[in-house]
Amino acid sequence: MTDTDREMQESQRRKRPGKQKKKKKSMKGWLVLIVTVGLILAVVFGCRIKTIRITGNERVSDETIQTLIQYDKCQNNSLLLWLLNRKTDISSEPLLNSIHVQLRNPQTIVVQVNEEKLSGYVQLEDEYIYVNDSGKIVLKQTEKLQDVLLLSGITADTAEVGEQLVSDDTGVFADFLDIAAILRSEAITADSLGKSDDGGYYIVMGKVKVLLGKDIYMEEKISELNDLLSKLEGLSGTLHLEEYDSTKDSIIFTKDS
């Protein structure tokens, strides 16, 4: 064998490992591509929304919530909807405190809504001013909302949404907010809350006026009212709770003549 033949054989031995490495790199590249395509297909077709549950909203409609979470932009993909709502912009809806979008599973989205609790409203001319438990103005509009308590007799300076409502009588306004909170805790819906000339408080529920008296034992009085609601249905008159005493049978109802 000549020196030339030996050099050719040696050259061929050196080239063979290189070809094997190229083949391994090529196979690895194809494997990565296949896995990537598989993941994309799984995300696209495996994350189709079949169920969307919206909970916690009473005044803000489901349609409005879907608009806020950009449901129309998610291409019916649950993962994309979840990513779009890592932080949901609710600045356009003053009645909302927060929206939390949860990905329960690839086909199920749960939207938890936290609405602002309205204690009542004050009417100034043709405008309704709605406040929360702390007296902060949540909403101002010319449209009256259903099942919100009128804080009767309260006059207030003009204020903007997000500011505290400043009343001419801060003590009465504070008592109104406390009583409204107790009514809501007892799930009692009333039309209006006012203060009598004798310094006591009263609420109006349809054709029934409930005299609560001074701001003492107010929780007990309203709890007793809750127990009497079924007996008041269809009646017209005045329920006297101003002298309420849990140890005595001192409750009087005066029917309208």
Side-chain angles (χ1 to χ4, degrees):
M1 179 180 297
T2 63
D3 292 340
T4 302
D5 294 334
R6 291 193 186 93
E7 289 176 359
M8 290 178 64
Q9 289 180 353
E10 185 66 24
S11 176
Q12 289 176 353
R13 291 193 194 99
R14 290 174 181 173
K15 290 179 179 179
R16 285 171 190 164
K19 289 182 178 180
Q20 291 177 354
K21 287 181 180 179
K22 287 182 180 179
K23 289 181 180 180
K24 288 182 179 180
K25 287 182 179 179
S26 179
M27 290 178 64
K28 186 177 181 180
W30 277 106
L31 182 60
V32 170
L33 179 61
I34 291 171
V35 171
T36 302
V37 172
L39 288 173
I40 292 173
L41 291 175
V43 169
V44 172
F45 295 104
C47 295
R48 293 292 184 186
I49 299 174
K50 292 183 179 179
T51 303
I52 179 167
R53 293 199 296 269
I54 301 175
T55 63
N57 57 317
E58 295 179 2
R59 299 189 182 279
V60 183
S61 68
D62 287 358
E63 291 76 14
T64 299
I65 298 298
Q66 289 188 10
T67 299
L68 290 172
I69 63 175
Q70 305 178 73
Y71 182 73
D72 59 332
K73 296 181 180 179
C74 75
Q75 305 297 321
N76 204 37
N77 186 280
S78 59
L79 182 59
L80 179 57
L81 182 63
W82 179 74
L83 290 172
L84 285 172
N85 288 279
R86 299 304 293 154
K87 186 176 182 181
T88 307
D89 182 10
I90 59 172
S91 59
S92 62
E93 285 295 326
L95 288 177
L96 292 178
N97 277 325
S98 64
I99 291 179
H100 183 53
V101 177
Q102 292 181 326
L103 184 62
R104 256 328 140 75
N105 59 56
Q107 287 82 40
T108 303
I109 287 287
V110 176
V111 184
Q112 293 181 331
V113 179
N114 180 16
E115 287 187 350
E116 185 77 63
K117 302 301 182 185
L118 300 179
S119 284
Y121 72 91
V122 174
Q123 186 172 359
L124 295 179
E125 296 180 354
D126 60 347
E127 188 172 49
Y128 300 97
I129 302 176
Y130 297 89
V131 298
N132 63 11
D133 287 345
S134 66
K136 185 180 76 172
I137 298 174
V138 176
L139 183 65
K140 292 173 66 176
Q141 60 183 33
T142 56
E143 179 185 355
K144 182 180 176 181
L145 298 178
Q146 297 298 314
D147 299 328
V148 183
L149 187 66
L150 168 63
L151 306 179
S152 181
I154 293 293
T155 57
D157 296 332
T158 302
E160 299 302 322
V161 172
E163 298 178 357
Q164 292 294 121
L165 187 145
V166 180
S167 171
D168 293 342
D169 193 331
T170 56
V172 172
F173 183 51
D175 287 346
F176 274 11
L177 295 178
D178 290 341
I179 295 171
I182 299 171
L183 288 170
R184 192 172 66 242
S185 70
E186 292 284 345
I188 296 175
T189 301
D191 299 316
S192 64
L193 166 62
K195 188 172 184 179
S196 306
D197 293 337
D198 62 1
Y201 295 97
Y202 67 88
I203 60 175
V204 176
M205 308 171 63
K207 295 182 178 181
V208 175
K209 185 175 184 178
V210 183
L211 299 181
L212 298 171
K214 302 261 179 97
D215 190 18
I216 53 174
Y217 305 116
M218 195 60 72
E219 291 185 2
E220 290 82 355
K221 293 174 184 177
I222 294 176
S223 177
E224 182 68 21
L225 170 62
N226 198 11
D227 293 338
L228 295 170
L229 287 179
S230 59
K231 297 179 181 180
L232 296 174
E233 290 182 7
L235 297 180
S236 177
T238 303
L239 178 67
H240 294 267
L241 291 175
E242 60 266 52
E243 302 297 332
Y244 171 75
D245 186 341
S246 61
T247 64
K248 300 177 182 179
D249 187 11
S250 56
I251 300 174
I252 299 173
F253 182 80
T254 306
K255 290 184 179 181
D256 289 338
S257 55

